[in-house]
Amino acid sequence: MISTAADSVIIPFRRNRLLQGLTAAFAIAWLALAIAPGNRFDWFLENLLVVIGVGLLGFYYRSRPLSDLSYILIALFLTLHVVGSHYTYSQVPFGFWLQDVFGQERNHFDRIVHLCFGILIVYPVREDLSRYTGAGRGLSGFAAFTVIATSSLIYETIEWGTAIVISPDAAMAFLGTQGDVFDAQKDSTLAVGGSFLGLLATRRAFKPRHAG
């Protein structure tokens, strides 16, 4: 059985075979995609947040564990992100395939990942808030929505700051604007819209309980 935010008991990592398998699968994917990336410096920049994020998840696992479902959603998003970091977001083959199929002018893989950030990460954020802050269904949903929106804005600001202090070539790979002057605004809008969709999809199934 996969635990969800409705479950009050979280299985310790040493007995959670699903989480162990998920961790191993992501580690293998990360290592494979770390080999010969399209732009090593861009890969390094993109993966700084991955290392920090995974480190925090491990650090807080004993004191603030989440459900299996939340970890699955987090792993899905991180996998999409490391795929983007391997090729650089504007050069992901799947994005080019979509570009050809739908006759688009740009590779939209980065747009997909920003949308998925909102859809996939809003649930774990809401679960953490409901379990460990005492927030009710309404407050936890609103707060999670706000966290996603703020995180997206902060990330776009980090990208902008990076573009100022590093070389132009590396900055363009990291930003992945592909000539769109409104790239940052569109990315943030998709993340916010994705979080709203994620909340809608779980509005009935989400029954938070405090950790005991």
Side-chain angles (χ1 to χ4, degrees):
M1 294 292 293
I2 296 176
S3 62
T4 70
D7 299 313
S8 57
V9 178
I10 306 297
I11 302 174
F13 182 82
R14 65 180 180 277
R15 293 193 292 111
N16 192 327
R17 296 293 181 263
L18 186 148
L19 188 54
Q20 290 174 4
L22 194 66
T23 303
F26 177 74
I28 292 171
W30 187 86
L31 288 171
L33 291 166
I35 299 172
N39 183 310
R40 176 60 71 181
F41 189 54
D42 173 66
W43 177 89
F44 171 76
L45 293 174
E46 299 282 8
N47 280 273
L48 279 176
L49 292 178
V50 174
V51 173
I52 293 171
V54 172
L56 289 174
L57 288 172
F59 181 79
Y60 285 109
Y61 183 77
R62 288 189 176 184
S63 59
R64 298 174 73 97
L66 300 174
S67 65
D68 294 337
L69 178 56
S70 281
Y71 288 121
I72 289 172
L73 296 175
I74 292 170
L76 285 174
F77 170 73
L78 290 178
T79 301
L80 288 173
H81 179 68
V82 296
V83 168
S85 71
H86 174 80
Y87 294 99
T88 74
Y89 272 93
S90 61
Q91 300 295 320
V92 175
F94 179 69
F96 285 131
W97 177 79
L98 289 177
Q99 185 177 352
D100 292 338
V101 169
F102 295 102
Q104 298 297 303
E105 296 181 355
R106 77 188 303 276
N107 187 320
H108 283 292
F109 186 78
D110 63 329
R111 301 272 196 255
I112 294 172
V113 176
H114 280 279
L115 177 66
C116 288
F117 173 69
I119 293 175
L120 299 175
I121 301 302
V122 72
Y123 185 96
V125 172
R126 185 179 185 186
E127 180 182 345
D128 181 82
L129 291 169
S130 66
R131 283 185 184 278
Y132 302 110
T133 69
R137 295 188 61 166
L139 180 57
S140 65
F142 175 76
F145 178 84
T146 303
V147 167
I148 295 298
T150 304
S151 299
S152 179
L153 176 61
I154 291 173
Y155 183 78
E156 296 298 332
T157 303
I158 291 173
E159 283 192 330
W160 170 74
T162 301
I164 293 176
V165 299
I166 66 176
S167 67
D169 290 341
M172 288 302 101
F174 186 48
L175 291 172
T177 60
Q178 300 181 65
D180 188 349
V181 295
F182 295 110
D183 181 72
Q185 291 88 336
K186 292 176 181 178
D187 288 346
S188 293
T189 299
L190 285 169
V192 170
S195 67
F196 182 71
L197 291 175
L199 290 172
L200 283 180
T202 59
R203 68 187 187 280
R204 293 183 180 179
F206 197 94
K207 298 177 181 178
R209 298 178 185 174
H210 305 317

